[in-house]
Amino acid sequence: MNLLGLHHITAIAADPKTNLDFYTRVLGLRFVKKSVNQDDPGTYHLYYGDNVGSPGTALTFFPWQGLRRGRPGTGQAYATGFSIPAASLAYWQKRLADLKVATEPVETRFGDQVLAFVDPDGMRLELVATAEADPRAPAPSTDVPAEHGIRGFHSSTLALTDALPTATMLTKIMSYRLHAKEGHRARYTVAGGGPGTYVDLFTDPKLPRGLNGSGTVHHIAFRVADDAQHLAAHELLVTAGAHVSPVIDRAYFKSIYYREPAGVLFEIATDQPGFAIDESVETLGQKLSLPPRLETHRAEIEAALPKLD
Ligand code: ZN
């Protein structure tokens, strides 16, 4: 399987406006797509990322107003890590303190400094201040200077009671390989490695059991270059006995879905065509983007969605 790393991560929020403010203004990500949940068009699907929402940078949310809060824990993608420059840790500590975002004590993990905090729904986020090379440019932002900006995902941490079945799927089917182990954490990587590829399997016995709800990750998606690699990945999963969905066209990428043995929902998504397929790069995220089959219902859909500004 020719995976290139993480593609996007999709999570659950409660209030869409609070979510939008936090990810664009506090974290300095770009709002690259305002769409709806294709299976529930009364709900937004909000996408944040770099300037174009490149694969490996796109964090997306389904905000369900009034949804009960979940609890990050085992059986879930427990924490989402972003890559920042090694020299930017102090900037972010001050910024988050100034903005009244409580942070945990800095942790050293595989030689990097990790600053952990939660978003307004309690979703676990980590800024990984890494000396590893990461040439990705952050989103242009009036809130966060470019030299300190988030460069995309660093890692996704899966919380597990037993890492072996998940590790076996990663390494035997998905071409991931063990990168390093430290304490209760084993880090896996794929392709050329580095920030944006890492999946950490975390088996701290103190972890609570995860509960679904706002503030938890819905699924994590891995990248493939093109349709041919996507079909090849699908075939490999079928051959391995995974219960994998048919290919679904999500307009901005094609997707297949399956669960890893601990129950975390995985997706494999194509790099193409990307978010600039239905609006220009300059105006990404400004208008409500709908898939063609929902376009005829635009007026009702827009009227039912909460206002974001
Ligand atoms: Zn997805």
Side-chain angles (χ1 to χ4, degrees):
M1 196 179 290
N2 285 313
L3 300 181
L4 301 173
L6 298 168
H7 185 286
H8 65 270
I9 294 176
T10 294
I12 313 290
D15 181 60
K17 177 81 167 67
T18 306
N19 181 259
L20 176 67
D21 283 349
F22 185 82
Y23 284 95
T24 58
R25 298 180 60 186
V26 176
L27 296 190
L29 302 181
R30 185 173 183 202
F31 184 28
V32 290
K33 190 64 67 181
K34 175 165 62 176
S35 190
V36 294
N37 182 331
Q38 294 187 16
D39 303 315
D40 175 16
T43 302
Y44 279 118
H45 194 181
L46 307 179
Y47 297 72
Y48 312 108
D50 71 358
N51 194 42
V52 296
S54 302
T57 75
L59 179 61
T60 94
F61 287 89
F62 298 129
W64 276 293
Q65 277 180 316
L67 186 73
R68 77 179 163 91
R69 188 172 276 210
R71 180 176 67 196
T74 55
Q76 292 178 341
Y78 174 71
T80 297
F82 294 108
S83 166
I84 60 167
S88 296
L89 183 73
Y91 167 84
W92 281 99
Q93 284 178 299
K94 179 173 188 316
R95 175 172 179 76
L96 294 173
D98 289 348
L99 295 170
K100 308 281 188 277
V101 177
T103 55
E104 295 177 9
V106 172
E107 176 190 335
T108 301
R109 184 186 298 166
F110 300 117
D112 294 331
Q113 304 280 95
V114 179
L115 183 63
F117 53 100
V118 298
D119 84 354
D121 289 299
M123 170 155 154
R124 292 189 62 84
L125 301 172
E126 298 170 337
L127 295 176
V128 183
T130 180
E132 273 198 89
D134 190 346
R136 298 174 295 173
S141 168
T142 52
D143 295 295
V144 177
E147 71 262 34
H148 298 307
I150 286 173
R151 302 178 290 196
F153 295 124
H154 177 275
S155 44
S156 175
T157 294
L158 311 188
L160 305 167
T161 51
D162 175 10
L164 183 61
T166 304
T168 301
M169 175 177 260
L170 284 172
T171 56
K172 298 287 188 261
I173 306 175
M174 296 173 64
S175 302
Y176 261 76
R177 59 187 182 271
L178 182 66
H179 177 70
K181 275 188 173 179
E182 186 179 85
H184 296 297
R185 185 178 294 271
R187 174 162 291 174
Y188 291 80
T189 188
V190 76
T197 65
Y198 296 128
V199 173
D200 287 4
L201 304 187
F202 187 46
T203 51
D204 188 334
K206 292 193 292 292
L207 284 163
R209 189 169 57 86
L211 295 174
N212 293 334
S214 74
T216 63
V217 171
H218 186 269
H219 64 267
I220 68 172
F222 298 88
R223 302 171 53 187
V224 289
D226 54 34
D227 288 0
Q229 295 297 345
H230 201 231
L231 290 172
H234 188 271
E235 195 171 315
L236 281 166
L237 286 162
V238 169
T239 304
H243 295 280
V244 58
S245 79
V247 174
I248 300 172
D249 188 345
R250 295 298 191 193
Y252 311 114
F253 41 82
K254 287 180 183 157
S255 299
I256 54 175
Y257 301 87
Y258 56 104
R259 286 192 192 274
E260 58 80 39
V264 180
L265 185 59
F266 279 4
E267 173 183 349
I268 296 175
T270 55
D271 276 6
Q272 300 300 329
F275 296 111
I277 189 176
D278 59 358
E279 46 187 349
S280 69
V281 168
E282 293 70 33
T283 60
L284 284 175
Q286 290 182 13
K287 73 165 179 53
L288 183 70
S289 294
L290 295 175
R293 70 182 171 83
L294 294 176
E295 195 56 60
T296 50
H297 303 288
R298 173 176 285 274
E300 311 128 72
I301 290 171
E302 284 189 331
L305 287 168
K307 295 285 166 281
L308 291 182
D309 35 48

